[in-house]
Amino acid sequence: MSDLLIEKTSGWRGTREIWIEAAYQALIEHGIDAVKVMPLADRLGLSRTSFYGHFSDRNDLLDALITQWQTKNTGNLVKRTEDYAETITEAILNLFDLWLLPELFDSRLEFAMRNWAHADPDLTPMLEEADRVRIEAFTAMFERFGYEHASADVRANTMYLTQIGYISIVKDRPSEPLGPRLQRMPHYIEIFTGKTVSDAEFARFRARHPLGPGKTE
């Protein structure tokens, strides 16, 4: 039984957040065609009627998923590009937190949204706008550290497209060990920026992402 099924009293309709979470799980596990009212109601052990106590229709629920994606992935990404950093390499490490912390950037949701856009042309402009906003934020970050616009734009595109490609490639593979990913990051940064991460900067980054007990490089 799904962990979304919550013990309830007679007449309980759940909450808007519970329906959104159920829709999210269905989307990332099975795609947009699985995000339908009756299957979600069955998953939650609730009635179809209870859904309409929180949403006007299915599109209302889909809009909530889109908003969650925009807020979490695009919103957090833009914020990270603006966070304090003394050097461009430290700024990139701030961004790399996104790729390692699902609570900041949900890679599974990102992959699911891109698949959804393949099936729904109405979503394509939203995806294109998200890509534009994110790349512009990356570009502005490089420019803040003295890169000319043309160079900043190419570096921003290279870094962004590399990560989106990584998300697409590793979706159906076993989780990559954290150790090897961390070891590659200084080299990625050197390629993206043309500069070397300092030992102090990378030590602070590593402190935010410990390997955990019994894990090695």
Side-chain angles (χ1 to χ4, degrees):
M1 186 66 68
S2 168
D3 58 6
L4 293 171
L5 183 58
I6 298 176
E7 195 173 328
K8 54 193 178 294
T9 58
S10 178
W12 188 73
R13 290 188 171 190
T15 65
R16 180 178 175 87
E17 291 71 26
I18 286 171
W19 282 99
I20 293 172
E21 176 64 16
Y24 163 83
Q25 293 292 342
L27 176 66
I28 64 173
E29 291 169 7
H30 305 294
I32 191 59
D33 288 342
V35 185
K36 296 179 179 177
V37 177
M38 279 309 301
L40 295 179
D42 290 341
R43 180 175 188 143
L44 290 168
L46 295 170
S47 68
R48 179 187 179 93
T49 303
S50 70
F51 172 84
Y52 293 101
H54 303 289
F55 301 91
S56 58
D57 54 23
R58 179 175 180 260
N59 285 334
D60 191 14
L61 175 62
L62 298 184
D63 286 343
L65 285 174
I66 293 170
T67 298
Q68 178 173 313
W69 165 68
Q70 291 171 328
T71 301
K72 186 169 190 176
N73 285 10
T74 300
N76 284 343
L77 184 149
V78 171
K79 182 180 181 302
R80 278 280 156 160
T81 66
E82 298 169 347
D83 281 351
Y84 174 78
E86 292 187 358
T87 65
I88 183 59
T89 51
E90 185 177 27
I92 300 296
L93 286 171
N94 287 341
L95 277 173
F96 280 7
D97 286 336
L98 296 171
W99 319 140
L100 298 177
L101 298 172
E103 63 268 26
L104 293 180
F105 187 96
D106 191 332
S107 295
R108 295 187 302 167
L109 179 58
E110 186 72 21
F111 182 85
M113 293 298 296
R114 291 178 183 278
N115 273 352
W116 177 1
H118 289 312
D120 184 355
D122 290 339
L123 189 62
T124 301
M126 296 183 195
L127 196 65
E128 292 174 347
E129 175 67 6
D131 289 336
R132 183 190 67 77
V133 167
R134 295 171 186 184
I135 291 172
E136 285 186 357
F138 280 16
T139 302
M141 179 189 66
F142 276 106
E143 290 179 327
R144 193 167 75 246
F145 287 95
Y147 291 81
E148 296 292 335
H149 177 74
S151 176
D153 177 68
V154 170
R155 292 174 191 276
N157 275 276
T158 301
M159 186 168 62
Y160 182 69
L161 295 175
T162 296
Q163 184 57 34
I164 294 302
Y166 179 87
I167 289 170
S168 301
I169 289 171
V170 303
K171 164 62 173 61
D172 295 317
R173 295 182 183 178
S175 297
E176 183 182 19
L178 178 58
R181 291 188 70 185
L182 291 172
Q183 287 180 328
R184 287 198 297 271
M185 285 181 174
H187 304 291
Y188 277 123
I189 292 175
E190 188 169 0
I191 290 170
F192 295 148
T193 68
K195 300 181 184 300
T196 302
V197 179
S198 74
D199 291 342
E201 287 172 341
F202 198 58
R204 288 194 293 271
F205 177 76
R206 288 295 303 265
R208 299 198 296 268
H209 304 285
L211 291 176
K215 294 183 180 180
T216 64
E217 298 291 335

